């Protein structure tokens, strides 16, 4: 959690090792912030569950309320003297009130603004510019300088310097008035679709998680994990994995996961004999899975649902098996490390499972069951989360940790404060989205990816992985996903569909409209079009179709369900790859937070976490190369089993150790099994990989038992 940093003139707080400063809250200021946070939470619950405000007004209120909270919690700068701190506080109060004024301007003046034909007067210039500047400033306070710089670059690209860029990226430019109007009033702007996701869905799930934690869910998660895995060899490592998986169902934040569960799991792992570096890395890697673990999955999943106009519950459902595979892959490394170093159990007195379930199972699982049940029944996510909050309070009275009036107020305030960063981020990132949609930069970037990748899906995946890592050095995971998905998801979806298009053209079973397009672009192949041909010829024909005509070819060749599945697969790939910034140096906040708890080297912990997080790169290959998305549960389960074998083969080959040491020839064979098990659409190859692996694993287990047998 935040560590107090005593400076001349009074204390300030630094959050999570990020270097961002919050006010040292005490006395009247603390009470004021607490009261504002409670009112903000209550207002969002009322607006989402009991009222039906317009989406634009809801987004404006969301920005104003969390802008006010941000101004109170995060100072404009770090003043050392008491007089300086009072000056900063006065300035921040004024800025917070201006944010509230932007909301009042919209609600009271929107009708008059449209009545005069949307022409700007002085008040319109002042308020729309103030909203944009405040969004940038609040984001600077909560995330650092990278996102504000990106916002300024995109905004000025549209209004100032885009016309000077040569080639595909040139843009003639729009006026400041047009950009401010689009940024404030349209669905692609600051108060548009992405901000509405924060105001509707994310804030309610954050509040639900705050109530669940207030009911003792954190203690239950750790105790449950200790009861299940504490007695296994290297059990504390499994406690971290299981605990982080369960905590991820309600937090959706890697760093929050680390600081909540790591304070228990990391000392347990160190007592078991794991090094500080490995202990921190396991916690960071497992905690990263919190953002891919249903039902919450972090803010990015809600953004994805809005982008694709599909049910959030469907995204959560298709993410269950991949999330399990990810945590399983981390568990493999934990087991291998324990066997490699002969670690025994260090949790000498793990709690009894029945006692843990008796004390906390109802208060933890019942609210989640209510939440999921209402989502399955067709209720909206905010409505389901609202009733989930009620279920948490009711269920807590069946456990030792009852939530009374004071606990309710505390959970409301905590939830609001936890939402500040996400709220201001999603509003500010709307400026970038507005610039991308206005300029068509997303389509241009997609064309560039296709050109750079040479229509090779694997190269495109590598390019996107590198881009996600670079973006993740300066952006939170959600922002990195939004930016990268906006720019590259269409191109990635087209490459995923490419094999279906090539197969259709090769078969000759294509619509007349598609034949006409192919004949137009390849008149020398006119006689062959519509007839069976080899895949290479079909691929060459497809490559001759201009980008502006390719969408029509896709729509008339591939089923709509397959197109939707490919686009979802592309977004899931980007969403997974964007998580790597949590565990990949040089900037890996989850690993740094875990290293601080473990008292290990930050960069060493980061590199170890990157080594353990290979599931982030391997599992998305299922989305890209197999029919995992949009198929039946049984097909998904079969693919998941093959992938589980592949993950274990990779871990053993990488580490050179399973239950016992593994020689280089066996490591090479296991690497071959890994490739065979992931090779797309080759069931016989998958079965052969399993058939080769099983005797190798059995032999390795027996070798371990022989080594443990007394002479």
């Amino acid at each position: 959690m935040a560590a107090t940093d005593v400076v001349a003139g009074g204390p300030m707080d630094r959050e999570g090792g990020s270097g961002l400063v919050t006010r040292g809250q005490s006395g009247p200021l603390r009470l004021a912030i607490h009261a504002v946070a409670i009112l903000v939470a209550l207002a969002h619950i009322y607006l989402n569950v009991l009222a039906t405000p317009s989406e634009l007004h809801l987004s404006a209120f969301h920005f104003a309320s969390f802008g006010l909270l941000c101004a109170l919690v995060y100072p404009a700068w770090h003043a050392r003297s008491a007089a300086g701190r009072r000056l900063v506080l006065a300035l921040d109060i004024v800025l917070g009130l201006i944010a509230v004024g932007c909301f009042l301007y919209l609600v009271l003046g929107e009708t008059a603004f449209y009545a005069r034909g949307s022409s700007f007067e002085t008040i319109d210039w002042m308020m729309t510019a103030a909203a944009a500047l405040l969004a940038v400033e609040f984001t600077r306070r909560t995330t650092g300088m990278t996102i504000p710089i990106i916002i300024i670059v995109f905004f000025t690209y549209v209004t100032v310097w885009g016309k000077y860029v040569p080639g595909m990226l040139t843009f003639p430019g729009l006026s400041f008035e047009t950009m401010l109007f689009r940024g404030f009033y349209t669905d692609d702007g600051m108060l548009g679709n992405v901000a509405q996701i924060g105001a509707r869905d994310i804030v309610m799930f954050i509040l639900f998680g705050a109530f669940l934690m207030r009911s003792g869910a954190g203690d239950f998660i750790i105790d449950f994990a200790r009861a299940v895995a504490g007695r296994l060899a290297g059990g504390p490592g499994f406690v971290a994995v299981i605990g982080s998986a369960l905590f991820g169902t309600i937090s959706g934040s890697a760093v929050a996961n680390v600081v909540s569960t790591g304070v228990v799991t990391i000392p347990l792992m160190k007592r078991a004999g794991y090094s500080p570096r490995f202990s921190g890395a396991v916690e960071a890697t497992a905690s990263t899975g919190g953002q891919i673990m249903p039902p919450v999955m972090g803010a990015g999943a809600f953004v994805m649902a809005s982008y694709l106009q599909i049910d959030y519950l469907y995204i959560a459902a298709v993410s269950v098996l991949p999330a399990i595979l990810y945590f399983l892959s981390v568990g493999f490394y934990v087991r291998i490390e324990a066997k490699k170093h002969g670690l025994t159990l260090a949790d000498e007195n793990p709690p009894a499972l029945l006692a843990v379930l008796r004390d906390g199972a109802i208060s933890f699982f019942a609210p989640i069951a209510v939440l999921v049940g209402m989502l399955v029944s067709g209720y909206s996510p905010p409505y389901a989360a609202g009733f989930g909050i009620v279920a948490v309070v009711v269920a807590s009275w069946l456990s030792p940790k009852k939530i009374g009036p004071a606990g309710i107020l505390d959970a409301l305030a905590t939830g609001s404060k936890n939402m500040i960063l996400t709220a201001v981020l999603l509003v500010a990132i709307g400026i970038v989205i507005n610039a991308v949609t206005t300029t068509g930069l997303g389509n241009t970037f997609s064309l560039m990816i296709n050109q750079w990748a040479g229509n090779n899906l694997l190269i495109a995946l590598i390019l996107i992985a590198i881009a996600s890592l670079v973006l993740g050095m300066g952006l939170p995971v959600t922002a990195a996903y939004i930016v990268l998905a906006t720019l590259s998801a269409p191109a990635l979806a087209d490459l995923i569909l490419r094999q279906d298009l090539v197969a259709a053209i090769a078969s000759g079973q294509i619509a007349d409209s598609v034949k006409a397009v192919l004949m137009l672009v390849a008149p020398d192949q006119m006689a062959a079009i519509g007839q069976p041909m080899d895949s290479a010829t079909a691929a060459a024909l497809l490559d001759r179709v201009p980008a502006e005509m390719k969408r029509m070819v896709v729509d008339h060749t591939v089923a709509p369900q397959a197109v939707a599945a490919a686009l979802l697969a592309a977004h899931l790939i980007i969403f997974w790859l964007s998580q790597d910034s949590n565990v990949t140096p040089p900037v890996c906040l989850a690993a740094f937070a875990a290293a601080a708890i473990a008292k290990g080297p930050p960069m060493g912990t980061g590199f170890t976490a990157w080594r353990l997080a290979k599931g982030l790169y391997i599992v998305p290959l299922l989305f890209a190369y197999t029919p995992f998305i949009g198929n039946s549960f049984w097909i998904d389960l079969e693919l998941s089993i093959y992938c589980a074998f592949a993950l274990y083969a990779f871990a053993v080959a990488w580490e050179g150790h399973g239950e016992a040491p593994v020689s280089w020839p066996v490591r090479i064979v296991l690497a071959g099994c890994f490739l065979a098990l992931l090779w797309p659409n080759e069931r016989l190859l998958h079965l052969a990989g399993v058939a080769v692996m099983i005797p190798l694993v059995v032999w390795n287990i027996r070798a371990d038992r022989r080594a443990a047998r007394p002479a």
Side-chain angles (χ1 to χ4, degrees):
M1 292 296 186
T4 300
D5 177 25
V6 180
V7 297
M12 304 292 280
D13 289 338
R14 297 188 183 274
E15 286 200 339
S18 66
L20 300 174
V21 179
T22 61
R23 279 194 172 85
Q25 299 169 19
S26 60
L29 179 59
R30 178 182 179 277
L31 294 176
I33 293 175
H34 201 69
V36 171
I38 291 170
L39 292 174
V40 168
L42 289 173
H44 277 83
I45 292 173
Y46 171 77
L47 293 172
N48 279 299
V49 178
L50 301 175
T52 55
S54 75
E55 292 186 335
L56 186 61
H57 290 180
L58 176 61
S59 294
F61 173 78
H62 182 68
F63 169 59
S65 58
F66 281 104
L68 176 60
L69 260 182
C70 181
L72 294 175
V73 174
Y74 295 88
W77 66 84
H78 182 179
R80 292 185 175 274
S81 67
R85 288 196 297 275
R86 286 194 295 269
L87 176 63
V88 174
L89 177 59
L91 172 64
D92 288 339
I93 291 174
V94 170
L95 294 180
L97 293 176
I98 292 175
V100 175
C102 292
F103 165 68
L104 297 175
Y105 155 77
L106 177 64
V107 172
L108 300 177
E110 183 183 14
T111 302
F113 175 75
Y114 284 118
R116 60 176 181 268
S118 304
S119 62
F120 268 42
E121 296 181 350
T122 303
I123 185 65
D124 305 307
W125 279 101
M126 291 174 55
M127 301 311 294
T128 55
L133 292 172
L134 286 174
V136 173
E137 167 60 12
F138 293 151
T139 306
R140 179 194 68 82
R141 299 184 187 197
T142 53
T143 67
M145 284 300 300
T146 303
I147 295 179
I149 291 173
I150 290 174
I151 292 171
I152 293 169
V153 168
F154 273 86
F155 187 90
T156 54
Y157 167 73
V158 178
T159 56
V160 179
W161 55 271
K163 55 180 172 287
Y164 302 114
V165 180
M168 297 172 63
L169 295 177
T170 188
F171 183 73
L174 295 175
S175 66
F176 279 91
E177 179 179 340
T178 300
M179 278 299 290
L180 288 174
F181 167 76
R182 291 181 60 86
F184 196 78
Y185 282 101
T186 67
D187 286 342
D188 293 323
M190 295 183 296
L191 306 180
N193 293 326
V194 174
Q196 289 159 18
I197 296 164
R200 287 194 318 262
D201 302 332
I202 299 173
V203 66
M204 294 299 293
F205 275 75
I206 292 289
L207 289 170
F208 172 76
F211 271 86
L212 206 54
M213 291 303 294
R214 189 64 178 76
S215 72
D219 294 336
F220 168 76
I221 287 169
I222 295 298
D223 289 343
F224 178 79
R226 290 176 59 201
V228 170
R231 295 187 183 278
L232 299 175
F238 292 110
V239 171
V241 175
I242 297 171
S244 294
L246 290 174
F247 192 84
T249 64
I250 58 175
S251 75
S253 168
V255 176
N257 206 333
V258 167
V259 299
S260 297
T261 61
V263 292
V264 176
T265 61
I266 289 175
L268 281 177
M269 283 188 278
K270 290 173 68 177
R271 286 205 300 271
Y274 291 110
S275 67
R277 175 185 301 188
F278 190 84
S279 301
V282 169
E283 180 58 44
T285 308
S287 294
T288 296
Q291 299 207 135
I292 58 176
M293 186 68 184
V296 175
M297 295 181 63
F302 293 101
V303 177
M304 191 189 308
S306 177
Y307 270 178
L308 301 178
Q309 292 297 296
I310 60 177
D311 191 358
Y312 168 78
L313 185 63
Y314 179 72
I315 294 176
V318 300
S319 298
V320 171
L321 288 175
I324 293 173
L325 286 171
Y326 174 78
F327 284 106
L328 194 61
S329 71
V330 181
F332 290 152
Y333 285 99
V334 169
R335 176 72 178 184
I336 289 170
E337 187 77 4
K339 299 300 292 187
K340 183 187 295 187
H341 298 287
L343 305 182
T344 58
L345 58 92
D347 197 353
E348 296 86 358
N349 297 299
L353 180 59
L354 290 179
V356 172
L357 293 175
R358 183 184 64 246
D359 292 340
I362 293 178
S363 62
F364 179 75
F365 290 112
I368 292 179
V370 170
L371 176 69
V372 174
M374 292 191 69
L375 289 172
V376 171
S377 300
Y379 290 96
S380 68
Y383 199 76
F387 274 86
I389 291 171
V390 175
V392 172
V393 177
V394 173
S396 73
W397 284 80
L398 302 176
S399 72
K401 295 191 176 181
K402 300 175 176 60
I403 301 180
I408 291 174
L409 295 177
D410 183 64
L412 290 169
T414 300
S416 289
K417 293 173 186 177
N418 291 345
M419 182 65 192
I420 293 174
L421 186 152
T422 302
V424 299
L425 170 65
L426 293 184
V427 170
I429 207 71
I431 301 175
V432 175
I433 295 171
N434 184 23
V436 170
T437 55
T438 299
T439 60
L441 197 59
N443 292 332
T444 302
F445 195 77
S446 294
L447 291 173
M448 293 169 64
I449 287 180
N450 278 324
Q451 289 180 1
W452 294 337
N455 291 317
N456 185 297
L457 179 55
L458 182 59
I459 295 177
L461 290 173
I462 294 172
L463 290 173
I464 291 172
I466 294 171
S468 73
L469 179 58
V470 172
L471 283 174
M473 292 179 186
L475 302 184
V477 167
T478 301
Y481 160 69
I482 292 173
V483 172
L484 199 56
T486 303
L487 292 173
S488 61
L492 187 56
D494 287 344
L495 288 174
I496 292 172
L497 287 171
R498 179 179 172 81
Q499 57 185 346
D500 293 337
L501 290 172
V502 170
I505 295 172
S507 70
Q509 303 298 313
I510 52 177
D512 291 338
S513 57
V514 176
K515 292 178 184 177
V517 170
L518 295 177
M519 290 177 181
L520 180 65
V521 300
D524 55 314
Q525 299 288 328
M526 193 173 295
I529 293 171
Q531 304 297 322
M533 63 182 71
D534 61 85
S535 296
T537 303
L541 270 175
L542 181 61
D543 291 341
R544 296 170 72 171
V545 178
E548 59 271 16
M549 302 176 71
K550 193 163 289 184
R551 177 51 51 196
M552 188 273 286
V553 172
V554 171
D555 292 340
H556 288 79
T557 306
V558 183
Q561 297 88 340
V563 174
L567 194 55
L568 175 57
H571 276 265
L572 283 171
I573 290 168
I574 295 169
F575 183 62
W576 273 61
L577 292 178
S578 64
Q579 311 301 321
D580 65 353
S581 60
N582 281 314
V583 293
T584 308
V587 180
C588 41
L589 292 183
F592 290 166
I597 298 172
K599 295 180 173 58
M603 293 302 293
T605 302
F607 279 111
T608 305
W610 176 80
R611 175 166 61 90
L612 304 184
K614 290 299 179 289
L616 282 179
Y617 310 99
I618 295 173
V619 175
L621 296 176
L622 288 181
F623 307 143
Y625 286 102
T626 72
F628 191 89
I629 305 297
N631 258 294
S632 71
F633 169 78
W634 297 110
I635 291 178
D636 292 348
L637 182 61
E638 179 184 357
L639 292 171
S640 297
I641 292 172
Y642 295 142
C643 187
F645 274 95
L647 289 167
Y648 186 72
F650 182 90
V652 175
W654 180 279
E655 296 292 322
H657 204 289
E659 295 296 291
V662 175
S663 64
W664 270 107
V666 176
R667 293 172 74 173
I668 294 172
V669 172
L670 287 173
C673 291
F674 165 75
L675 294 175
L677 287 160
L678 287 182
W679 204 265
N681 306 318
E682 292 291 344
R683 180 175 289 177
L684 289 179
L685 205 55
H686 300 160
L687 293 173
V690 173
V692 172
M693 270 194 69
I694 288 177
L696 289 177
V697 172
V698 171
W699 171 82
N700 192 245
I701 292 172
R702 289 182 175 176
D704 175 59
R705 290 176 177 173
R706 286 195 299 270
R709 197 175 299 154

